[in-house]
Amino acid sequence: QLPQALQPTDAGVSKSSHRTGMTVEDLKQAFLDNLFYDQGKFPALATQHDYYMALAYAVRDRLLQRWNQTAATYTAEGSRTVAYFSAEFLMGPQLGKNLTSLGIYDRVRDAIASLDLDLDALLDEEPEPGLGNGGLGRLAACYLDSLATLEIPALGYGIRYEFGIFQQDLQDGWQVEKTDKWLRLGNPWEIKRPEWGVEVKFGGHTDSYLDQDGCYRVRWVPEQTVMGIPYDTPLLGYQTATANTLRLWTAEAPESFNFESFNSGDYLGAVYEKMISENISKVLYPNDDSAQGKRLRLTQQYFFVSCSLRDMLRILIGQELPLEKFHEKFAVQLNDTHPAIAVAELMRLLLDEHHLNWESAWSITQRTFAYTNHTLLPEALERWPIDLFGQLLPRHLDVIYEINHRFIDEVRIKFPGDEARLARLSLIDESGERYIRMAHLACVGSHTINGVAALHTELLKQDVLQDFYAMYPHKFQNKTNGVTPRRFMVLSNAKLTNLITEKIGDQWVKHLDQLQQLEAFADDPDFQNTWREIKLSCKRDLAVFIQQQTGIVVDPHSMFDILIKRFHEYKRQHLDVLHIITLYNRIKANPDIDITPRTFIFGGKAAPGYWMAKLIIKLINSVADVVNRDPDVRGRLKVVFMKNFNVKLAQRLYPAADLSEQISTAGKEASGTGNMKFALNGALTIGTLDGANVEIREQVGAENFFLFGLTTEQVYKMRAEGYCPQDYYQANPELRLALDRIASGFFSHGDTEVFKPLLDGLMNHDPYFLLADYQSYIDCQKEVGLAFKDTARWTRMSILNTARTGTFSSDRAIQEYCDDIWNIQPVKVAQPDDVPTAV
Ligand code: GL9
């Protein structure tokens, strides 16, 4: 029951009519009013973007009604809340998503059509909020969708980067980066909350003093202050009234920042300071799976973590709860180590600002945080040079030393006399230049540590975090990743969604396991036909788009063989290229050879400083140029690189895929989530036993999955015994021909230098075992080609892939986090219609 003061939330607010009404007429009227009153336009002057904004605001009004209701409910009930801390949230466009959640997609289409406008064109106007690099940021977005859909009180906390992930362009086949000005035309989904701004301090030094009670205390005397200003975006669950909040922080100069310099005439100095402050939230670091150790990056991490913890304390105190209940009110999930500084910051806040003793503060801290590890790559483990860290956060350095001191004592008791172990476990790396190890801080400061796929969690326990596993075995859990079927099926694949709903009803959208019911139709010829027609129709849509974007004509009847993900050597996009070249060479040797026609589609960005990844992009485009033009190929092979891969583009690609390429070196990909999106949309996977591929194969059945390549154990063994890629080159004529063709300049207008670094790397080191896995991949691809020709078999496999991937819903993953890590229950929010209306 809501207390009187909060009931109802919309007392005095104009309701029904077009402000919140859900009829086609209401929606149309809201749209027209917004165009006039918010955009200040009438049709003769309005742009497509004005129309998009008018519609977005109409939709937002409906969200706000539910959002206020949700906030009132949570406040009244003092609900336990998940705080998901993440430096990245790759949300994707919001308009379509919100129409789906509200269940008004078709009505809005009609309302818009009745004005002779096209909803698809308006949806296309929305710029992508690209506040993430890839899998890790998109996972955070899927999890927020599931949290709201499962009616779990939750806040996403992160950074409102002014420039998100760069836009990728191609020049002469090379990647070039352009800044992403996603906020240029305004963001209708966010609400600025300056009244909840907080101050964040940096730099300076610490000193000690005796307080009034004669207690020895430490105080931080910082040098610089910036303001963190929150911007809130409502996130509505799928056909629930629960609208949670994504709260992203922008850095601003504090109001009083420049009075002295300003008054002393140093106007430029004052403006400079403002500029420095605003730099903090200016741009997303575009590195995926690698850490750089840059000062601004640590500043960003501390900035958003400090803002968020202060915000949570405000909420706690506002609800008149004592500090000792912080961990009862909030469960904080650390999305990788990017927010791990939160462990030290919460300690500092409790000790220095709220005067708790160490034991109480530490107990609260450890019971608050849980940490998700997302990578096995050593280069991705964040470490901060002590000097840099101490300059920026001197007080936190003290706190970390003290945490370490107590932790090392604990280790000493458990493993007496094991000095090497102490050095390995220490929060401080002292093997050379001294560093703070953020993963160690996260492990010590959290009650639970989880990996993101079964294999990944095992490898964490045996390898990367084995000493922590020995120390705290009870802390380790697996939480296999999941993806939201709302965005990656309902919103992006309406045709398949409708077919499935016709067959098994609509409950599968929230209970994805129910897709199992499709198994009954896997061999039904009528169902198979419809299934095939839908896939073909999705491929036709994509073919049109490909032609618009690239000028390349592709055949929708050919196999759409898709590899989309960030570019990285371990993901082995170049292995796919070796397959293309091998097929091409076979055609050149025997132009009448019978091969299954394929369209190879690539997409993905390379980190701007990752030269080898950029060279692989260039290679794909170079091979594409030759293969696509060669008349001998007779259209049997097409190679397409779709530039600027992002959520928007991804939504066009998954539904049209026949084959999903998941070909990383075993033991390198923590999970992958694209693999799940493909399988859900009925694509078959060719993949290694890596990440979640292992579990996907278990679910869909080995006979419905194309497996190739070395296992993790075999890779480890080969590495230990000394791997010689040259041997494979010498022994395999097709492999040799493929590599020689690249080296000869065949794909580079005679230039024999350009791909040399790539080839030298493969021939001499090949750390990702391409040459070792080549033949197995080629053989497996042959199986794929044959299977595709057997349409009944292929369709059956495709149906079974969709039917058996329900477990990869992010709802399943989030339910496990709720039960096993957060200990949190849903809170029912009343639907607007159930709410008593104000008179
Ligand atoms: C990643 C892993 O590499 C993926 O295998 C995993 O699926 C996701 C989500 O758990 O996390 N870790 C990581 O640093 N990135 C991942 O994708 N990087 C990016 O965000 C691109």
Short mmCIF file of all heavy atoms in Angstrom, two decimals, residues 324 327 347 350-351 355-367 402 405-406:
data_model
loop_
_atom_site.label_atom_id
_atom_site.label_comp_id
_atom_site.label_asym_id
_atom_site.label_seq_id
_atom_site.Cartn_x
_atom_site.Cartn_y
_atom_site.Cartn_z
N GLU A 324 24.33 1.16 8.00
CA GLU A 324 24.60 -0.26 8.22
C GLU A 324 23.74 -1.13 7.33
O GLU A 324 23.97 -2.33 7.21
CB GLU A 324 24.37 -0.63 9.69
CG GLU A 324 25.47 -0.17 10.65
CD GLU A 324 25.47 1.32 10.92
OE1 GLU A 324 24.47 2.00 10.55
OE2 GLU A 324 26.46 1.83 11.48
N HIS A 327 24.12 -2.61 2.33
CA HIS A 327 24.16 -3.86 1.56
C HIS A 327 22.81 -4.57 1.55
O HIS A 327 22.62 -5.50 0.77
CB HIS A 327 25.24 -4.78 2.12
CG HIS A 327 24.99 -5.17 3.53
ND1 HIS A 327 25.25 -4.32 4.58
CD2 HIS A 327 24.46 -6.29 4.07
CE1 HIS A 327 24.90 -4.92 5.71
NE2 HIS A 327 24.41 -6.11 5.43
N MET A 347 34.57 2.09 0.85
CA MET A 347 35.32 2.07 2.11
C MET A 347 35.63 3.50 2.56
O MET A 347 35.42 3.86 3.71
CB MET A 347 36.62 1.29 1.95
CG MET A 347 36.46 -0.22 1.96
SD MET A 347 35.70 -0.86 3.46
CE MET A 347 37.05 -0.70 4.64
N LEU A 350 32.51 5.34 3.79
CA LEU A 350 32.04 4.85 5.10
C LEU A 350 33.00 5.24 6.21
O LEU A 350 32.58 5.61 7.31
CB LEU A 350 31.84 3.33 5.05
CG LEU A 350 30.75 2.83 4.09
CD1 LEU A 350 30.69 1.30 4.07
CD2 LEU A 350 29.37 3.40 4.45
N LEU A 351 34.30 5.17 5.91
CA LEU A 351 35.29 5.49 6.95
C LEU A 351 35.41 6.99 7.19
O LEU A 351 35.24 7.47 8.31
CB LEU A 351 36.67 4.97 6.54
CG LEU A 351 36.91 3.46 6.44
CD1 LEU A 351 38.24 3.18 5.74
CD2 LEU A 351 36.89 2.83 7.84
N HIS A 355 32.33 7.94 9.19
CA HIS A 355 32.99 7.58 10.45
C HIS A 355 32.64 6.20 10.99
O HIS A 355 32.55 6.00 12.20
CB HIS A 355 32.72 8.66 11.51
CG HIS A 355 33.15 10.02 11.02
ND1 HIS A 355 34.47 10.33 10.78
CD2 HIS A 355 32.43 11.12 10.69
CE1 HIS A 355 34.55 11.56 10.32
NE2 HIS A 355 33.33 12.07 10.25
N LEU A 356 32.45 5.24 10.10
CA LEU A 356 32.34 3.85 10.57
C LEU A 356 33.74 3.31 10.87
O LEU A 356 34.72 3.84 10.34
CB LEU A 356 31.69 2.97 9.49
CG LEU A 356 30.17 2.79 9.60
CD1 LEU A 356 29.47 4.13 9.52
CD2 LEU A 356 29.67 1.87 8.50
N ASN A 357 33.83 2.28 11.69
CA ASN A 357 35.15 1.67 11.89
C ASN A 357 35.44 0.71 10.74
O ASN A 357 34.56 0.36 9.96
CB ASN A 357 35.25 0.98 13.26
CG ASN A 357 34.27 -0.17 13.38
OD1 ASN A 357 33.99 -0.87 12.40
ND2 ASN A 357 33.75 -0.37 14.58
N TRP A 358 36.71 0.29 10.67
CA TRP A 358 37.15 -0.50 9.50
C TRP A 358 36.32 -1.78 9.37
O TRP A 358 35.85 -2.11 8.28
CB TRP A 358 38.64 -0.85 9.62
CG TRP A 358 39.12 -1.59 8.41
CD1 TRP A 358 39.01 -2.92 8.16
CD2 TRP A 358 39.72 -1.02 7.23
NE1 TRP A 358 39.52 -3.23 6.92
CE2 TRP A 358 39.97 -2.08 6.33
CE3 TRP A 358 40.10 0.29 6.88
CZ2 TRP A 358 40.56 -1.88 5.09
CZ3 TRP A 358 40.70 0.49 5.63
CH2 TRP A 358 40.91 -0.59 4.75
N GLU A 359 36.14 -2.49 10.49
CA GLU A 359 35.47 -3.79 10.43
C GLU A 359 34.05 -3.65 9.89
O GLU A 359 33.62 -4.43 9.03
CB GLU A 359 35.46 -4.47 11.80
CG GLU A 359 36.81 -5.04 12.23
CD GLU A 359 37.85 -3.96 12.57
OE1 GLU A 359 37.46 -2.80 12.89
OE2 GLU A 359 39.06 -4.25 12.49
N SER A 360 33.31 -2.67 10.39
CA SER A 360 31.94 -2.50 9.91
C SER A 360 31.94 -2.09 8.44
O SER A 360 31.16 -2.61 7.63
CB SER A 360 31.19 -1.41 10.69
OG SER A 360 31.46 -1.51 12.04
N ALA A 361 32.81 -1.17 8.10
CA ALA A 361 32.86 -0.69 6.72
C ALA A 361 33.20 -1.84 5.77
O ALA A 361 32.60 -2.00 4.70
CB ALA A 361 33.88 0.44 6.58
N TRP A 362 34.15 -2.66 6.18
CA TRP A 362 34.59 -3.75 5.31
C TRP A 362 33.50 -4.81 5.17
O TRP A 362 33.26 -5.35 4.09
CB TRP A 362 35.89 -4.36 5.85
CG TRP A 362 36.48 -5.40 4.95
CD1 TRP A 362 36.73 -6.70 5.27
CD2 TRP A 362 36.91 -5.23 3.59
NE1 TRP A 362 37.28 -7.35 4.19
CE2 TRP A 362 37.40 -6.47 3.14
CE3 TRP A 362 36.91 -4.14 2.70
CZ2 TRP A 362 37.89 -6.67 1.86
CZ3 TRP A 362 37.41 -4.34 1.41
CH2 TRP A 362 37.88 -5.58 1.00
N SER A 363 32.81 -5.08 6.26
CA SER A 363 31.73 -6.05 6.21
C SER A 363 30.62 -5.57 5.26
O SER A 363 30.10 -6.35 4.44
CB SER A 363 31.21 -6.27 7.63
OG SER A 363 29.91 -6.78 7.58
N ILE A 364 30.27 -4.32 5.32
CA ILE A 364 29.24 -3.77 4.42
C ILE A 364 29.73 -3.85 2.97
O ILE A 364 29.01 -4.28 2.07
CB ILE A 364 28.92 -2.30 4.79
CG1 ILE A 364 28.21 -2.25 6.15
CG2 ILE A 364 28.09 -1.62 3.71
CD1 ILE A 364 28.11 -0.85 6.74
N THR A 365 30.97 -3.45 2.77
CA THR A 365 31.52 -3.42 1.41
C THR A 365 31.52 -4.81 0.78
O THR A 365 31.02 -5.01 -0.33
CB THR A 365 32.96 -2.86 1.45
OG1 THR A 365 32.89 -1.51 1.95
CG2 THR A 365 33.61 -2.85 0.08
N GLN A 366 32.04 -5.76 1.52
CA GLN A 366 32.11 -7.13 0.97
C GLN A 366 30.74 -7.73 0.73
O GLN A 366 30.58 -8.58 -0.13
CB GLN A 366 32.86 -8.04 1.93
CG GLN A 366 34.35 -8.03 1.71
CD GLN A 366 35.01 -9.19 2.44
OE1 GLN A 366 34.61 -9.52 3.56
NE2 GLN A 366 36.00 -9.80 1.83
N ARG A 367 29.77 -7.31 1.52
CA ARG A 367 28.42 -7.85 1.31
C ARG A 367 27.66 -7.10 0.23
O ARG A 367 26.57 -7.49 -0.17
CB ARG A 367 27.66 -7.86 2.64
CG ARG A 367 28.16 -9.01 3.53
CD ARG A 367 27.30 -9.22 4.74
NE ARG A 367 27.61 -8.23 5.78
CZ ARG A 367 26.91 -8.09 6.90
NH1 ARG A 367 25.85 -8.85 7.11
NH2 ARG A 367 27.27 -7.19 7.80
N GLU A 402 45.78 -0.79 2.99
CA GLU A 402 45.26 -1.39 4.22
C GLU A 402 44.45 -2.66 3.92
O GLU A 402 44.56 -3.65 4.63
CB GLU A 402 44.40 -0.35 4.98
CG GLU A 402 43.84 -0.82 6.30
CD GLU A 402 44.91 -1.17 7.35
OE1 GLU A 402 46.05 -0.67 7.23
OE2 GLU A 402 44.59 -1.95 8.28
N HIS A 405 47.02 -5.29 3.19
CA HIS A 405 47.70 -5.69 4.41
C HIS A 405 46.88 -6.75 5.16
O HIS A 405 47.38 -7.82 5.52
CB HIS A 405 47.88 -4.43 5.26
CG HIS A 405 48.54 -4.65 6.56
ND1 HIS A 405 49.88 -4.86 6.68
CD2 HIS A 405 48.02 -4.71 7.82
CE1 HIS A 405 50.17 -5.03 7.95
NE2 HIS A 405 49.06 -4.96 8.67
N ARG A 406 45.61 -6.48 5.33
CA ARG A 406 44.74 -7.42 6.06
C ARG A 406 44.51 -8.69 5.25
O ARG A 406 44.46 -9.79 5.80
CB ARG A 406 43.40 -6.75 6.38
CG ARG A 406 43.55 -5.64 7.41
CD ARG A 406 42.28 -4.80 7.54
NE ARG A 406 42.49 -3.70 8.47
CZ ARG A 406 41.85 -3.58 9.65
NH1 ARG A 406 40.97 -4.49 10.01
NH2 ARG A 406 42.09 -2.56 10.44
#
